[in-house]
């Protein structure tokens, strides 16, 4: 196993982390016995960073990790867990959620604790609720170790958050299609320059970079003459970055786990040749040819006076048409753009004021494009799906 160092505490973490968001299921529920075998097998192979969150599998992910880490496994790993901002209405909610997470995980301390899925709106909400007082009190009490955040916003907000606190680590979405989306390469390098460890989520874009590839993308890989799966190409590209500390993979298949572990062993920073980079660049170009709106996520168009999260709307609209699972993309659009509070940020709220057009360095006709986003992502399918997504995000588990 390859290990990389967290700059601010010296922890040696496996460059491959086990993401517990997509555990194996059977008859609609997590296959607990299989999940435990898989995670323990990964730990036995050297994986020592496990990532979960309050809503994953409706709370079952945390519980299963707790069971997995019995019998001496807890001492061999670092646990990462997250505070879900959408479930927090007051300071006491933070303490209640953390205590529930500790019980589910059967541990006294969560090693790496994140503010989950921050963007400009959720960041300001947590600041107003004095989240740092909560985090530091929890750390002083020994309930959490290292403080970080995960991010799904624009690069301007990312810099603001990075500069606001002495974070140990952060977690960003990054892959060869997302160099300019959300935090992007700029954010990766900015955080690393401040000695913040960077954990990577969605390295395979929810699986779209690993399976069900467009024929022309598969042809590019086949023509390379290198016997390598699409997943391996995508993961090696990320591990090639020296700024990356851990790459999280939501693994639920034994063969995929073995392949990822094998790949990680020699996917060192700077190990990709120029020719291999050219292959990935060609695959990325093929995917990007399907992009509907050339938005770079710079957020110069923000804030929208009517509350629309313009970069996020375009991000999910592009993803909807590039490839992959459209239902999954719609679900993320609901969770991250529409939301479940009184301040939705979806495309339907555009009022064609034109302020964003003047600010856009790409010259995008933003109101016209937002109408297209709303047509495809704000319709009846989304309205029917929203209650299900909300249930999955906020459903409380009865604790003994």
């Amino acid at each position: 196993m390859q290990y990389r160092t967290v700059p601010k505490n010296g922890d040696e973490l496996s460059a491959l982390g086990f993401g517990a968001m997509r555990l194996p299921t059977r008859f609609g529920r997590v296959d607990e016995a299989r999940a435990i075998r898989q995670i323990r097998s990964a730990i036995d192979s050297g994986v020592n960073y496990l990532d979960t969150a309050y809503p994953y599998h409706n709370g079952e992910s945390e519980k299963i990790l707790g069971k997995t880490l019995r019998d001496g496994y807890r001492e061999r790993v670092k646990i990462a867990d997250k505070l879900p901002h959408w479930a927090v209405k007051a300071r006491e909610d933070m303490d209640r959620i953390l205590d529930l997470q500790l019980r589910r995980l059967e541990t006294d301390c969560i090693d790496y604790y994140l503010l989950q899925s921050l963007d400009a709106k959720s960041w300001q909400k947590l600041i107003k609720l004095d989240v740092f007082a909560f985090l530091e009190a929890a750390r002083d009490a020994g309930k959490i170790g290292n403080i970080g955040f995960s991010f799904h916003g624009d690069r301007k907000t990312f810099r603001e958050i990075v500069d606001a606190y002495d974070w140990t680590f952060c977690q960003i979405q990054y892959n060869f299609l997302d160099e300019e989306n959300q935090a992007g390469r700029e954010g990766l390098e900015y955080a690393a320059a401040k000695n913040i460890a960077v954990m990577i989520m969605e390295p395979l874009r929810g699986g779209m970079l690993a399976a069900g590839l467009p024929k022309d993308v598969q042809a590019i890989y086949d023509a390379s003459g290198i016997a390598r799966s699409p997943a391996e190409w995508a993961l090696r590209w990320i591990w090639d970055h020296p700024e990356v500390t851990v790459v999280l993979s939501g693994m639920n298949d034994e063969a995929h786990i073995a392949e990822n572990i094998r790949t990680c062993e020699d996917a060192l920073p700077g190990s990709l040749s120029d020719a291999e980079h050219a292959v990935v660049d060609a695959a990325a170009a093929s995917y990007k040819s399907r992009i509907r709106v050339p938005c770079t996520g710079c957020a110069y168009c923000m804030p929208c006076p009517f509350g629309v999260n313009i970069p996020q709307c375009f991000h999910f609209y592009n993803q909807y048409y590039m490839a992959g699972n459209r239902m999954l993309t719609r679900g993320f659009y609901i969770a991250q753009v529409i939301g479940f509070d009184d301040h939705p940020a979806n495309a339907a709220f555009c009022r064609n004021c034109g302020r964003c057009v003047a600010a856009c360095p790409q010259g995008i006709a933003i109101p016209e494009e937002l109408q297209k986003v709303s047509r495809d992502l704000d319709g009846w399918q989304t309205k029917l799906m929203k209650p299900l997504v909300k249930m999955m995000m906020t459903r409380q588990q009865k604790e003994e």
Side-chain angles (χ1 to χ4, degrees):
M1 177 57 62
Q2 175 192 169
Y3 296 90
R4 299 191 181 184
T5 305
V6 176
K8 291 186 178 178
N9 65 20
D11 280 354
E12 295 291 323
L13 301 181
S14 55
L16 174 65
F18 201 111
M21 184 173 73
R22 300 183 178 97
L23 297 174
T25 59
R26 188 167 182 264
F27 303 123
R29 295 184 61 85
V30 176
D31 186 337
E32 182 175 303
R34 186 181 177 197
I36 291 173
R37 287 196 304 271
Q38 288 180 348
I39 300 169
R40 286 188 172 184
S41 174
I43 295 170
D44 291 338
S45 297
V47 172
N48 69 358
Y49 188 85
L50 309 181
D51 175 271
T52 187
Y54 183 72
Y56 292 176
H57 291 288
N58 294 323
E60 290 301 309
S61 174
E62 291 172 332
K63 291 180 180 179
I64 288 171
L65 276 192
K67 295 177 181 179
T68 299
L69 297 179
R70 296 170 184 171
D71 306 321
Y73 278 88
R74 174 66 183 95
E75 292 71 29
R76 299 167 61 181
V77 302
K78 303 294 185 183
I79 300 174
D81 206 339
K82 310 175 186 77
L83 179 73
H85 65 79
W86 58 89
V88 173
K89 307 302 180 186
R91 163 62 192 274
E92 53 266 28
D93 292 330
M94 304 180 196
D95 296 293
R96 174 183 55 80
I97 290 169
L98 174 58
D99 288 342
L100 175 57
Q101 290 173 311
L102 291 168
R103 291 198 300 273
R104 287 175 173 175
L105 291 165
E106 302 181 22
T107 189
D108 296 324
C109 178
I110 296 170
D111 305 290
Y112 286 77
Y113 199 67
L114 306 94
L115 306 181
Q116 185 174 5
S117 193
L118 293 186
D119 59 12
K121 183 172 67 174
S122 57
W123 168 241
Q124 292 304 317
K125 170 188 172 181
L126 291 179
I127 290 294
K128 290 177 182 177
L129 293 174
D130 203 9
V131 71
F132 290 124
F134 156 73
L135 291 170
E136 291 175 358
R139 184 177 59 191
D140 292 345
K143 293 183 178 182
I144 64 174
N146 302 282
I147 295 173
F149 67 94
S150 69
F151 186 76
H152 284 292
D154 61 80
R155 292 195 293 279
K156 182 170 65 174
T157 302
F158 183 77
R159 280 178 171 261
E160 177 185 338
I161 295 173
V162 165
D163 292 342
Y165 190 73
D166 184 22
W167 309 98
T168 299
F169 71 116
C170 66
Q171 187 168 305
I172 65 172
Q173 177 169 318
Y174 193 64
N175 52 68
F176 66 70
L177 291 186
D178 285 323
E179 286 192 272
E180 300 297 331
N181 289 328
Q182 300 187 23
R185 181 186 286 267
E186 177 186 312
L188 170 67
E189 294 176 349
Y190 189 72
K194 291 180 173 288
N195 290 323
I196 296 173
V198 183
M199 312 333 192
I200 302 300
M201 58 182 160
E202 299 297 345
L204 304 177
R205 271 265 188 127
M208 70 171 283
L209 302 182
L213 275 62
K215 291 181 180 179
D216 51 348
V217 174
Q218 186 62 60
I220 290 168
Y221 289 141
D222 292 343
S224 71
I226 301 174
R228 185 177 288 171
S229 71
E232 183 175 349
W233 277 107
L235 291 172
R236 284 186 178 275
W237 183 87
I238 298 173
W239 276 316
D240 198 60
H241 294 66
E243 301 89 356
V244 168
T245 305
V246 173
V247 176
L248 295 169
S249 180
M251 302 179 282
N252 56 25
D253 179 272
E254 287 77 8
H256 295 164
I257 296 170
E259 177 184 303
N260 291 351
I261 290 171
R262 184 175 63 254
T263 300
C264 184
E265 291 175 352
D266 64 352
L268 304 174
S271 61
L272 280 190
S273 68
D274 290 344
E276 289 170 313
H277 271 291
V279 172
V280 178
D281 289 346
S286 181
Y287 275 112
K288 290 176 181 178
S289 68
R290 295 168 171 78
I291 286 178
R292 296 299 181 94
V293 184
C295 173
T296 66
C298 71
Y300 286 114
C301 57
M302 298 288 283
C304 166
F306 301 100
V308 178
N309 189 329
I310 298 168
Q312 283 286 72
C313 286
F314 289 155
H315 167 70
F316 287 111
Y317 182 60
N318 285 330
Q319 184 162 318
Y320 188 77
Y321 280 101
M322 270 198 287
N325 187 323
R326 287 189 170 185
M327 182 177 291
L328 184 63
T329 298
R330 190 182 300 275
F332 277 116
Y333 178 79
I334 292 169
Q336 296 180 22
V337 181
I338 297 178
F340 309 107
D341 55 22
D342 296 328
H343 304 285
N346 47 305
F349 287 89
C350 173
R351 294 297 177 263
N352 199 22
C353 71
R355 185 181 300 182
C356 53
V357 177
C360 179
Q362 308 300 320
I364 299 169
I366 292 175
E368 295 177 20
E369 297 297 341
L370 286 174
Q371 288 181 13
K372 299 174 185 176
V373 177
S374 184
R375 178 197 64 204
D376 290 343
L377 292 176
D378 286 332
W380 65 269
Q381 292 169 294
T382 295
K383 289 181 174 65
L384 289 176
M385 197 172 167
K386 184 178 178 180
L388 176 61
V389 175
K390 183 176 182 179
M391 182 191 71
M392 293 174 66
M393 294 286 286
T394 63
R395 178 179 166 187
Q396 298 295 312
Q397 300 294 309
K398 292 182 179 180
E399 301 297 323
E400 296 294 337

